[in-house]
């Protein structure tokens, strides 16, 4: 067990104090008979919700909630105000801080300190140097925040201080080549994340059908390109997810409605895309949004916004292949983002157009998804972050 994981668990434990366990029900006439053991306490955990504050009917900041780890039932809480258009969220490895993009013309990233009593505090915002940031992630060292500016097609790096606050930007890299893909008018950086081995940073650009691999200088906070992978013209790669083995990754391609299995070389950072394959949604464009892979590497799930469904794949050949199993209705409209609970037992979907969050139980044996309760209202829900 590493120190970071231990620290994060202890901090999350503090966040859950007072609300994590609900009391077992008492008998109407006093104590329960000795032959009947008391009901086991039900555990709850916190969850955060991203939204568009500028949309009609949108939120007023970052939503908070708790969820029952057994039933998946959600209970909404107060809003963390002071953040504009927090459309994507990412937690620091310590669990003490969360980061949000400010998806607007003058893009920003905001740090929020989480408190056990719910008095979460905005630590400040830094400019990303670009427009419309849609994704961010924390480097495994916990020292750098990486963000992707969709509208201006660039990626940025910010230092993270010991208290979780952000320093001034240390790098900004624009995707000036190759030229845009069919129907595109420029680069559109949609995601940036660190590879499982920690040695490289990958940026997915929908506008020019390219995934860039960078090496991050962890002393200076600068990015140096080491390779790039070209997708089929017009594929529109949006989101990449790694298999836990670290040698393969899966791309959701928004525009040609495909999933692409990619080989990955940890030594060089080279990504090698295979042929696009079916999302199981039939003809037309269903705007695939994001893939998830179970911790054991056995199953993968894809959110299809236009089809309003979740595709289930079996992962085969140690991650080298995906086999389509089925699709299930998401029970909402336009699933923008999906996330597992930390134990992998639940899958949450943020449904943008229906302003709801839906929850599914994940069968560990066959990966099947089953609804866990009814959809919960969440204004223009575009991101869900279970903690």
């Amino acid at each position: 067990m590493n120190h970071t994981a231990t620290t994060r668990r202890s901090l999350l434990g503090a966040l859950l104090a007072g609300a994590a366990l609900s009391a077992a029900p008492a008998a109407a006439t006093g104590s329960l008979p000795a032959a009947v053991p008391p009901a086991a306490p039900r555990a709850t955990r916190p969850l955060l919700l991203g939204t568009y504050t500028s949309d009609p009917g949108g939120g007023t900041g970052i939503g908070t909630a708790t969820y029952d780890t057994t039933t998946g039932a959600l209970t909404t809480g107060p809003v963390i105000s002071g953040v504009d258009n927090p459309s994507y969220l990412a937690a620091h490895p310590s669990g003490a801080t969360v980061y949000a993009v400010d998806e607007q013309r003058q893009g920003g990233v905001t740090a929020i300190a989480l408190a056990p009593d719910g008095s979460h505090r905005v630590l400040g915002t830094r400019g990303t140097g670009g427009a419309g940031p849609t994704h961010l992630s924390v480097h495994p060292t916990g020292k750098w925040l990486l963000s992707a500016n969709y509208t201006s097609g660039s990626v940025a790096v910010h230092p993270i201080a010991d208290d979780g606050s952000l320093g001034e930007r240390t790098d900004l890299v624009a995707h000036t080549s190759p030229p845009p893909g069919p129907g595109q008018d420029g680069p559109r950086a949609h995601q940036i994340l660190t590879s499982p081995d920690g040695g490289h940073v990958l940026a997915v650009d929908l506008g020019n059908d390219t995934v860039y691999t960078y090496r991050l200088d962890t002393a200076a906070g600068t990015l140096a390109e080491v390779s790039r992978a070209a997708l089929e013209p017009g594929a529109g790669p949006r989101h990449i997810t790694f298999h836990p083995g670290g040698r393969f990754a899966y791309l959701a391609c928004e525009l040609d409605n495909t999933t692409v299995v990619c080989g990955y070389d940890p030594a060089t950072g080279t990504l090698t895309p295979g042929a696009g394959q079916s999302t199981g949604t039939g003809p037309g464009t269903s705007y695939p949004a994001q893939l998830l892979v179970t911790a054991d590497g056995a199953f993968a799930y894809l959110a299809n916004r236009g089809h309003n469904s979740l595709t289930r794949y079996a992962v085969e050949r140690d991650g080298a292949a995906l086999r389509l199993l089925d699709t299930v209705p998401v029970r909402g409209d336009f699933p923008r983002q999906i996330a597992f609970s930390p134990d992998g037992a639940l899958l949450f979907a943020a449904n943008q157009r229906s302003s709801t969050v839906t929850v599914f139980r994940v069968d560990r044996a066959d990966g099947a998804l089953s609804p866990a309760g009814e959809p919960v209202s969440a204004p223009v829900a575009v991101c869900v972050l279970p903690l």
Side-chain angles (χ1 to χ4, degrees):
M1 181 183 299
N2 62 51
H3 176 71
T4 298
T6 303
T7 302
R8 182 174 185 181
R9 275 193 289 273
S10 66
L11 285 163
L12 285 175
L15 282 171
L16 296 167
L21 299 176
S22 60
T29 57
S31 60
L32 292 171
V36 181
R42 300 292 276 274
T44 61
R45 294 185 65 93
L47 177 145
L48 300 177
L49 296 163
T51 184
Y52 283 118
T53 59
S54 61
D55 278 13
T60 56
I62 299 171
T64 69
T66 59
Y67 65 94
D68 186 304
T69 59
T70 301
T71 67
L74 281 170
T75 303
T76 57
V79 171
I80 303 171
S81 59
V83 189
D84 295 325
N85 286 340
S87 62
Y88 199 86
L89 310 170
H92 190 276
S94 69
T97 315
V98 70
Y99 301 93
V101 297
D102 297 21
E103 189 180 338
Q104 19 192 15
R105 183 179 297 276
Q106 297 295 325
V109 284
T110 297
I112 301 99
L114 302 179
D117 62 359
S119 58
H120 311 311
R121 182 168 55 91
V122 175
L123 298 176
T125 299
R126 297 287 187 177
T128 61
T134 59
H135 188 269
L136 79 177
S137 61
V138 181
H139 189 264
T141 61
K143 298 296 185 183
W144 304 100
L145 184 70
L146 312 166
S147 58
N149 295 306
Y150 175 79
T151 306
S152 54
S154 61
V155 293
V157 184
H158 288 81
I160 299 175
D162 289 344
D163 66 353
S165 62
L166 298 171
E168 289 291 348
R169 187 178 64 250
T170 54
D171 205 2
L172 179 68
V173 180
H175 295 164
T176 57
S177 65
Q184 302 294 316
D185 59 2
R188 296 288 182 264
H190 214 300
Q191 184 196 22
I192 185 167
L193 81 167
T194 306
S195 59
D197 57 277
H200 297 93
V201 170
L202 287 84
V204 181
D205 196 297
L206 184 151
N208 57 23
D209 302 312
T210 300
V211 180
Y212 301 83
T213 299
Y214 298 98
R215 192 174 292 279
L216 174 68
D217 184 325
T218 55
T222 54
L223 296 168
E225 184 181 333
V226 297
S227 68
R228 60 178 66 173
L231 279 295
E232 290 295 323
R238 175 186 176 93
H239 192 281
I240 192 168
T241 301
F242 276 89
H243 182 270
R247 300 305 299 262
F248 298 96
Y250 313 116
L251 272 168
C253 292
E254 175 177 329
L255 299 180
D256 71 357
N257 192 31
T258 62
T259 296
V260 176
V261 179
C262 306
Y264 175 73
D265 182 354
T268 64
T270 302
L271 193 74
T272 306
Q277 62 187 78
S278 173
T279 63
T281 59
T285 301
S286 68
Y287 302 104
Q290 179 198 359
L291 282 147
L292 292 179
V293 184
T294 55
D296 62 3
F299 300 98
Y301 304 91
L302 173 68
N304 302 297
R305 289 171 295 167
H307 195 249
N308 287 331
S309 66
L310 301 174
T311 301
R312 178 176 57 127
Y313 296 98
V315 180
E316 300 180 333
R317 293 166 43 201
D318 294 327
L322 294 178
R323 177 168 55 89
L324 179 65
L325 294 176
D326 60 14
T327 62
V328 299
V330 76
R331 301 187 304 145
D333 191 357
F334 218 66
R336 170 73 172 259
Q337 185 256 353
I338 54 178
F340 287 130
S341 59
D343 62 2
L346 299 170
L347 185 151
F348 300 85
N351 304 304
Q352 181 174 354
R353 292 180 179 169
S354 58
S355 289
T356 58
V357 174
T358 48
V359 189
F360 296 83
R361 295 185 186 88
V362 181
D363 189 299
R364 296 187 187 277
D366 61 9
L369 300 176
S370 58
E374 294 302 314
V376 173
S377 295
V380 190
V382 291
C383 184
V384 56
L385 179 62
L387 296 172

